[in-house]
Amino acid sequence: MLVVVVGGSGSGKSEYAEQIAMNLSENDKRIYLATMKVYGESAKKRITRHVKARQGKGFDTVELAADIYKVKEHVDVQGKNDTVLIECLSNLVANEMFLDDMTQKSATEVTDKILCDLKAVSEQFPNVVIVTNNVSEDGIKYDAGTMSYIRAIEMINSSVCRMADQVFEVVAGIPVRLK
Amino acid sequence: MRFILGGFGQGKLTYALEKYCAKDNESIKENVYDENNFRDIVNVCTMCKDTIIVWNHFNLCVKKMIESGHNDEYIGEWVGKIIELPSDIIIICDEIGNGIIPIDENEVRYRELTGRLGIMIAKKADSVERIICGIAQKIK
């Protein structure tokens, strides 16, 4: 089962995705694959809030800022309901795309790489839940690098949602089923 | 209590007034509060229990409270108090979280907090509607 959860900042998408992952995994493994690199105070605060929200829900955390196919090196998948929750695609794209201050990979290259990695993960885990963001509706024309980043996220979102069994958009904590 | 949200300029206030407030009642416009006078809402809700109160531009009110130096907890409690009042209130909020995360920490805080408060309001609300091109999608 592949489930995609999309939403904006502070929409409650993470909490809903956790709920889905808990239901899918039943008594088997729950892996939380965190893709965020910690930069600055607000990132720290957000991570603290997420960690707190996950407490007691039985997730094992694996931190991979890139190359998420490597999750198999950290987890021994055995159960028929083993579930990985990937949080979130927008961080993953940033990490895969912006290698350092000077180098940026193209949107197509990053899209191909991440879709390939996601395929590897979904072949390994019976259940995959992916959290992603809506980053394309603020109407601002950013610099070329940022526009390419938005393009990559939306290409990946579209491809992943095409493969997904279920897609939800979370609005003010309310899941709206899109697929 | 009703919660209406959607992108900027989608016709949220027009929808609220047409749908929930009597059209011939011009006085309802006096009961529309926004970032310029929202601090009066507590009093108005307490005094006029039978009047429909429209709280427009909820997100800009959050922004104003942040700029006044209030912390997230204070703002959350203040909004929490209003939605607990037994009054007929319609809260209208712009969807501001669907974009690139800003660099400025205060902008990040504004987006996050508006989102979090939206979840709190939606939980308590009798109905939640999203307005797109003036059309309402009822999600609760």
Side-chain angles (χ1 to χ4, degrees):
Chain A
M1 176 80 109
L2 175 63
V3 184
V4 178
V5 179
V6 59
S9 289
S11 60
K13 57 188 182 301
S14 306
E15 290 81 349
Y16 186 64
E18 282 159 20
Q19 199 53 56
I20 294 175
M22 288 167 74
N23 293 343
L24 289 176
S25 58
E26 296 183 18
N27 294 320
D28 291 340
K29 277 201 193 79
R30 283 170 205 163
I31 305 302
Y32 182 87
L33 203 171
T35 61
M36 192 181 202
K37 277 187 194 165
V38 193
Y39 288 123
E41 275 308 306
S42 78
K44 256 186 228 165
K45 248 172 99 177
R46 236 184 349 262
I47 287 177
T48 313
R49 203 193 61 230
H50 279 205
V51 169
K52 225 172 131 185
R54 278 204 313 278
Q55 264 167 11
K57 292 182 178 172
F59 283 96
D60 289 325
T61 302
V62 176
E63 289 178 29
L64 287 171
D67 299 324
I68 55 165
Y69 68 90
K70 287 185 179 160
V71 66
K72 65 173 179 234
E73 294 169 14
H74 301 265
V75 190
D76 187 17
V77 179
Q78 293 165 331
K80 68 174 171 45
N81 299 314
D82 283 2
T83 302
V84 62
L85 167 59
I86 303 172
E87 169 120 32
C88 64
L89 282 191
S90 50
N91 286 313
L92 179 64
V93 173
N95 300 337
E96 293 274 6
M97 186 173 248
F98 302 100
L99 303 177
D100 53 55
D101 289 346
M102 300 302 290
T103 335
Q104 179 176 0
K105 283 202 234 166
S106 79
T108 9
E109 192 183 342
V110 170
T111 303
D112 291 346
K113 160 79 164 66
I114 290 177
L115 287 174
C116 180
D117 287 1
L118 280 172
K119 196 161 171 276
V121 175
S122 64
E123 277 165 7
Q124 187 195 0
F125 282 87
N127 298 313
V128 181
V129 181
I130 298 173
V131 177
T132 187
N133 290 57
N134 179 339
V135 292
S136 64
E137 290 184 355
D138 59 12
I140 301 173
K141 177 95 176 118
Y142 293 96
D143 58 281
T146 308
M147 292 314 282
S148 165
Y149 167 71
I150 296 173
R151 173 70 64 197
I153 291 180
E154 297 305 341
M155 284 199 290
I156 296 167
N157 281 351
S158 306
S159 302
V160 171
C161 288
R162 192 174 296 160
M163 295 186 287
D165 300 291
Q166 295 178 354
V167 180
F168 295 91
E169 179 189 10
V170 181
V171 183
I174 300 167
V176 179
R177 187 149 179 185
L178 301 179
K179 181 178 176 184
Chain B
M1 189 261 291
R2 296 179 188 279
F3 188 38
I4 294 176
L5 76 168
F8 175 82
Q10 296 296 315
K12 300 185 289 297
L13 179 61
T14 307
Y15 172 80
L17 293 177
E18 280 179 9
K19 172 107 195 218
Y20 300 111
C21 310
K23 275 183 199 162
D24 55 343
N25 184 4
E26 269 299 304
S27 66
I28 182 66
K29 297 225 166 98
E30 288 168 20
N31 293 324
V32 177
Y33 291 81
D34 60 21
E35 67 276 18
N36 298 310
N37 55 359
F38 70 98
R39 288 174 212 269
D40 301 338
I41 286 175
V42 181
N43 286 336
V44 176
C45 285
T46 319
M47 287 185 318
C48 324
K49 285 194 181 109
D50 299 325
T51 320
I52 297 174
I53 309 287
V54 179
W55 184 358
N56 198 23
H57 295 171
F58 175 79
N59 53 303
L60 294 180
C61 300
V62 173
K63 188 164 213 177
K64 210 147 192 190
M65 283 192 272
I66 290 175
E67 285 165 359
S68 308
H70 297 305
N71 63 26
D72 292 6
E73 289 70 26
Y74 174 88
I75 300 171
E77 279 168 26
W78 195 81
V79 174
K81 226 165 35 193
I82 291 174
I83 60 175
E84 289 298 332
L85 293 171
S87 50
D88 209 348
I89 185 165
I90 302 170
I91 301 177
I92 302 175
C93 181
D94 278 359
E95 175 56 76
I96 57 164
N98 291 343
I100 291 292
I101 295 176
I103 296 163
D104 185 278
E105 297 267 321
N106 276 326
E107 287 295 317
V108 175
R109 201 184 138 203
Y110 164 52
R111 283 160 44 109
E112 279 278 334
L113 183 60
T114 303
R116 295 278 138 206
L117 294 173
I119 296 174
M120 180 173 86
I121 295 168
K123 239 181 215 159
K124 179 83 191 162
D126 301 302
S127 76
V128 180
E129 289 164 294
R130 182 152 70 150
I131 310 296
I132 302 157
C133 305
I135 299 162
Q137 179 189 29
K138 190 162 185 172
I139 58 174
K140 179 182 173 183

